[in-house]
């Protein structure tokens, strides 16, 4: 994605090679890049902006065509404590069968599992155009040694992962340890290489528009290919307000650097109506060019069936 060249040129964030600089100078760089943003951080104003977009545009987007498009943006997800090789293989078979039963419709974008199941998905998946995505780096808490996180991520890629979702180190965020925060994302991006790295901000924990803006900017400058709302574990999931702030940050980053970062909403998006709201935010803030599954994803499990029922009018649950 060309993110790394940018990273070294500007050194706006910790790239792991700048430790000889004065620590304070480095911290000022992080502040400067965040302070240089014009993205709205007043929570009331963000809420009003979201409401205005939905009032003006949401209804027009609630169509069978949009529901079909959204199904092709779903990262079909299973992240359960009792997932097993057998249950994950069965999960993947539903995606295979969807292709057989409904060749006229596009399939989901990816199957998203814990990193230890990448090989199971890779060996079971018979469908082209569906990626193997994993949640890695000690998901969902991101609490572990960086060496452990890199090892887990590298193993998942060896096992056939196409995409990697990791959680921002919210502990570093909480302490204002920007250099450590950015270094960690940068190192995980190195482990992932050319594949997309999706950085989960855990917006339900960050809460404020100001925090979400900072996390978005620092993640993008450190090599995130996507920024994602939530883990869906333990904290409130996606919100339209968080989506709005993140999309505004993505747009600004694109205007400043020419680099495209994707947006992924996840955590509690279950109905077609909800999914269409996120679609509307992405369309109105980022524009048509983000309406592709290479730039827009929704992480979900039950949503895929809801979308299918919306555009077919049937009661069938293929997933």
């Amino acid at each position: 994605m060309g993110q790394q060249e940018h990273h070294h040129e500007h050194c706006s964030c910790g790239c792991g090679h700048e430790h000889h600089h004065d620590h304070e100078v480095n911290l000022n760089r992080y502040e400067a890049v965040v302070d240089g943003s014009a993205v709205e951080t007043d929570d009331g104003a963000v809420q009003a902006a979201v409401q205005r977009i939905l009032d003006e545009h949401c209804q027009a987007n609630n169509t069978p065509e949009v529901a079909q498009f959204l199904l092709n943006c779903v990262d079909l997800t299973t992240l359960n404590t009792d997932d097993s090789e057998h249950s994950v293989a069965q999960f993947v078979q539903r995606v295979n069968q969807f292709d057989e039963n409904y060749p006229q419709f596009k399939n989901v974008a990816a199957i998203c599992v814990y990193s230890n199941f990448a090989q199971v998905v890779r060996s079971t998946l018979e469908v082209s155009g569906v990626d193997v995505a994993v949640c890695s780096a000690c998901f969902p808490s991101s609490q572990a040694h960086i060496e452990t996180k890199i090892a887990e991520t590298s193993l998942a890629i060896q096992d056939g992962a196409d995409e990697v979702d990791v959680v921002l180190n919210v502990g570093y965020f909480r302490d204002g340890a920007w250099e450590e925060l950015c270094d960690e994302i940068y190192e995980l991006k190195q482990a992932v290489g050319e594949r997309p790295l999706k950085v989960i901000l855990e917006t339900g924990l960050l809460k404020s528009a100001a925090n979400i803006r900072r996390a978005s900017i620092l993640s993008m400058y450190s090599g995130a290919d996507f920024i994602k709302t939530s883990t869906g574990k333990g904290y409130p999931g996606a919100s339209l307000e968080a989506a709005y702030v993140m999309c505004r940050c993505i747009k600004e980053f694109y205007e400043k650097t020419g680099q495209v970062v994707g947006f992924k909403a996840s955590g509690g998006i279950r109905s077609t109506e909800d999914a269409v709201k996120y679609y509307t935010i992405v369309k109105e803030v980022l524009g048509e060019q983000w309406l592709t599954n290479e730039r827009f994803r929704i992480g979900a499990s039950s949503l895929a069936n809801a979308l299918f029922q919306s555009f077919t009018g049937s009661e069938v649950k293929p997933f």
Side-chain angles (χ1 to χ4, degrees), residues 12-291:
S12 308
C13 271
C15 59
H17 305 295
E18 296 299 308
H19 294 273
H20 58 275
H21 280 329
D22 178 63
H23 187 64
E24 209 161 300
V25 173
N26 263 346
L27 285 184
N28 290 342
R29 285 186 169 156
Y30 302 103
E31 295 307 330
V33 75
V34 174
D35 292 346
S37 169
V39 172
E40 180 62 71
T41 56
D42 178 271
D43 292 308
V46 167
Q47 219 170 353
V50 167
Q51 200 51 57
R52 190 166 58 247
I53 288 172
L54 296 182
D55 289 348
E56 288 173 15
H57 304 284
C58 200
Q59 208 173 346
N61 293 329
N62 204 349
T63 66
E65 294 74 26
V66 169
Q68 255 186 75
F69 166 77
L70 286 167
L71 179 63
N72 190 227
C73 295
V74 168
D75 285 355
L76 193 68
T77 303
T78 180
L79 295 166
N80 300 314
T81 302
D82 62 351
D83 284 344
S84 68
E85 291 195 8
H86 180 67
S87 73
V88 170
Q90 282 185 312
F91 189 72
V92 177
Q93 284 297 358
R94 291 180 220 157
V95 174
N96 291 338
Q97 279 156 7
F98 184 84
D99 245 38
E100 281 171 41
N101 297 340
Y102 307 102
Q104 71 273 38
F105 300 127
K106 285 184 175 173
N107 215 317
V108 294
I111 296 171
C112 186
V113 294
Y114 279 117
S115 59
N116 49 309
F117 293 116
Q119 207 160 20
V120 178
V121 180
R122 175 55 67 217
S123 58
T124 313
L125 188 62
E126 295 158 9
V127 179
S128 63
V130 177
D131 283 340
V132 179
V134 296
C135 286
S136 182
C138 302
F139 175 94
S141 70
S142 196
Q143 297 288 12
H145 295 90
I146 182 62
E147 295 84 354
T148 305
K149 296 180 183 185
I150 289 168
E152 182 188 355
T153 302
S154 302
L155 287 166
I157 285 164
Q158 279 175 35
D159 287 349
D162 298 306
E163 307 174 3
V164 177
D165 294 30
V166 303
V167 183
L168 177 98
N169 191 318
V170 186
Y172 284 151
F173 188 90
R174 181 185 186 173
D175 282 357
W178 312 130
E179 189 168 10
E180 291 81 356
L181 178 88
C182 293
D183 278 354
E184 192 168 282
I185 295 169
Y186 177 79
E187 288 186 46
L188 287 166
K189 178 57 188 169
Q190 298 311 292
V192 170
E194 290 304 297
R195 296 167 184 82
L197 177 70
K198 305 193 198 101
V199 177
I200 304 164
L201 308 183
E202 200 64 290
T203 54
L205 180 56
L206 297 179
K207 293 189 176 77
S208 72
N211 279 343
I212 293 165
R213 179 180 77 168
R214 179 183 286 278
S216 298
I217 292 169
L218 294 180
S219 298
M220 290 188 292
Y221 273 99
S222 304
D225 299 298
F226 267 76
I227 50 176
K228 172 178 168 184
T229 57
S230 323
T231 59
K233 307 273 177 197
Y235 296 96
S239 75
L240 294 161
E241 289 75 21
Y244 175 81
V245 173
M246 290 165 72
C247 288
R248 286 285 311 276
C249 289
I250 289 168
K251 185 176 189 178
E252 184 181 70
F253 185 73
Y254 176 67
E255 286 166 353
K256 285 183 178 179
T257 67
Q259 287 168 30
V260 170
V261 174
F263 169 74
K264 179 173 171 180
S266 60
I269 303 166
R270 295 187 180 93
S271 70
T272 298
E273 196 184 347
D274 282 345
V276 168
K277 289 176 182 174
Y278 286 95
Y279 170 94
T280 303
I281 297 289
V282 170
K283 184 178 178 183
E284 294 308 316
V285 177
L286 288 166
E288 298 276 349
Q289 68 269 39
W290 256 262
L291 297 179

Side-chain angles (χ1 to χ4, degrees), residues 305 308-309 312-318:
N305 286 326
F308 179 79
Q309 291 174 348
T312 58
S314 77
E315 295 294 303
V316 179
K317 291 183 175 176

Side-chain angles (χ1 to χ4, degrees), residues 294-305:
E294 290 184 351
R295 298 183 179 189
F296 175 40
R297 296 285 178 86
I298 299 181
S301 46
S302 55
L303 175 65
N305 286 326

